[in-house]
DNA sequence: GTCTATAACAAGATAGAC
DNA sequence: GTCTATCTTGTTATAGAC
């Protein structure tokens, strides 16, 4: 890995752990094993590095989610598989985390990849749920867009509860709860 | 409002907007209209002020949630009322927000009120859901603890989605989605 | 490309005058 | 109780040597 690459990867880790405001160029340089001059040679500054880091993190999330959601099984099965995927729960979501940073929301270059990630994810889930409704797996009364938002929110909120509790348990409960509700709804179809 | 009071209220606002790391003593003093010496006379420092602020914010949340959850109606109705309560969505949850701050999680005095708030909230919702299950409003297959976690997570995650989108719409969708799933589950009881 | 020097400013607090 | 002065360290760069 060359220097520029190490700088981006270090920035990704630090943004995940400490957010944008909590991440200093100094900390990035230390973690990347790069000097001051080196960093400012490859990037214009903290914001420039953060843009590269956030873009890559957002692309990653999208790629991994797609792998799960394009898999085999009925709609509800695929969504359950996505929800149950092994996650480093206590670290939280590297994209969702950024929404708590006012400096990220205030800068369109930093904010846009976050917006696009969740737009895409909710849309993808909604189209799966719409399919399930069309085939009769889910009742007609269930709105695909609303249900998709609830599913994604369950994950994002699960991270919050887990970090509040200092344990992954509330996250696992929330996931089981969401799947339980989807299955109960199936019974009503 | 005396000086100490204004300092605590300013700290509450800033913690909500910018988190612990993003909030400086200087900013607190400015917002409170108090001087450096004044702040350090009433409080030992930033952490001391934050403890007071977080405690009060956590108590507030609990009081307001209890008002909704102890109201009239069936279990599902009360939970729907709680979910639908008018909220300043784009500001996010003043308690949930703190879980993204590693400095808060690392300090037991700052972390404890956050933990207790969500423990209490999930517990309260679980007992309402258990009631609903006992009376046959909800099917026996629905686990109260899991479902409660899913409901709270929907709210917390809804805030995340709304801030990502720069609009309250995803939050409202998630809430409608959760209520829709609860009602569909009711049909399966 | 990487290093060191420098700089202006903010963070977070202490000390002592008033 | 509040004010101003002072202090150390960190932030976020820029400049220029190597």
């Amino acid at each position: 890995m060359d220097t520029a690459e190490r700088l981006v990867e270090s920035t990704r880790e630090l943004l995940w752990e400490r957010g944008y405001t909590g991440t200093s160029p100094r900390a990035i340089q230390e973690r990347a094993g790069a000097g001051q001059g080196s960093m400012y040679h490859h990037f214009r500054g903290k914001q420039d590095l953060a843009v590269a880091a956030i873009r890559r993190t957002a692309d990653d999330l999208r790629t991994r989610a797609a792998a799960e959601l394009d898999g085999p099984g009925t709609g509800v099965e695929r969504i359950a598989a996505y929800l149950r995927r092994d996650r480093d729960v206590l670290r939280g979501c590297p994209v969702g985390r950024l929404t708590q940073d006012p400096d990220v929301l205030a800068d369109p270059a930093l904010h846009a990849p976050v917006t696009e990630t969740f737009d895409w994810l909710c849309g993808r889930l909604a189209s799966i749920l719409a399919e399930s409704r069309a085939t009769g797996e889910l009742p007609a009364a269930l709105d695909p867009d609303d249900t998709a938002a609830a599913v994604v929110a369950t994950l994002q909120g699960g991270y919050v509860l887990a970090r509040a509790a200092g344990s992954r348990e509330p996250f696992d409960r929330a996931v089981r709860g969401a799947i339980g509700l989807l299955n109960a709804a199936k019974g009503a179809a």
Side-chain angles (χ1 to χ4, degrees), chain A:
Chain A
M1 225 180 355
D2 67 0
T3 303
E5 195 62 23
R6 284 202 319 277
L7 283 164
V8 172
E9 287 303 316
S10 300
T11 305
R12 291 181 64 192
E13 290 174 18
L14 282 164
L15 286 179
W16 194 357
E17 291 167 23
R18 309 202 37 84
Y20 185 76
T21 303
T23 295
S24 67
R26 186 181 223 289
I28 294 170
Q29 293 153 28
E30 252 166 49
R31 189 169 299 209
Q36 191 96 313
S38 194
M39 176 187 137
Y40 283 100
H41 171 75
H42 292 287
F43 298 91
R44 257 169 312 182
K46 175 178 168 173
Q47 192 259 8
D48 192 30
L49 248 170
V51 169
I54 292 175
R55 283 237 182 83
R56 188 174 299 180
T57 296
D59 284 348
D60 252 40
L61 185 148
R62 203 160 144 159
T63 303
R64 270 178 299 124
E68 214 86 38
L69 294 173
D70 296 342
T74 68
V76 172
E77 281 166 7
R78 276 182 287 158
I79 288 175
Y82 171 64
L83 283 168
R84 286 206 188 94
R85 185 179 72 205
D86 193 33
R87 287 176 166 90
D88 203 343
V89 172
L90 286 178
R91 294 182 78 186
C93 172
V95 180
R97 200 240 178 277
L98 301 168
T99 61
Q100 299 308 314
D101 222 309
D103 297 336
V104 169
L105 300 196
D107 182 336
L110 300 173
H111 193 169
V114 176
T115 305
E116 287 156 17
T117 299
F118 288 114
D119 274 1
W120 173 84
L121 185 57
C122 286
R124 188 74 194 82
L125 283 168
S127 87
I128 292 175
L129 288 163
E131 247 178 75
S132 288
R133 200 172 60 158
T135 63
E137 189 188 17
L138 286 174
L142 229 51
D143 183 89
D145 289 311
D146 293 354
T147 311
V151 167
V152 177
T154 300
L155 280 181
Q156 292 298 317
Y159 287 123
V160 171
L161 297 186
R163 287 173 66 90
S167 149
R168 65 169 296 149
E169 210 182 303
F171 180 94
D172 291 330
R173 272 207 283 266
V175 163
R176 281 199 307 270
I179 295 173
L181 282 167
L182 279 169
N183 281 324
K186 244 171 56 177

